Amino acid sequence: MSAPDTNVKKQEKRHKGPLAGMLAVVIFAGVLLIALGAYIVYQGNEPRDAEEADIPAPVVDELSDTDGG
């Protein structure tokens, strides 16, 4: 069953506030998503030190051995 008396102009006025709020939430979520992406890209995936890398200790010693022997 549909409403017997619908005044579209009146309904537009009544729904402006909630629709504006929903739009604001969508925009806010988009800003947060962009900020998260920028944070992830900024952090990168490069290790800062050799200890943080997944290279075993003997391999690190061999790589740092520069006397050729």
Side-chain angles (χ1 to χ4, degrees), residues 3-21:
D5 240 357
T6 55
N7 186 348
V8 178
K9 296 286 185 188
K10 193 178 206 181
Q11 293 301 319
E12 283 180 16
K13 289 180 184 178
R14 288 184 178 175
H15 289 89
K16 278 186 181 179
L19 288 174

Side-chain angles (χ1 to χ4, degrees), residues 36-57:
L36 176 65
Y39 174 76
I40 290 171
V41 168
Y42 177 73
Q43 290 299 314
N45 198 19
E46 298 178 16
R48 294 184 184 151
D49 296 328
E51 290 81 22
E52 291 182 21
D54 291 334
I55 301 173

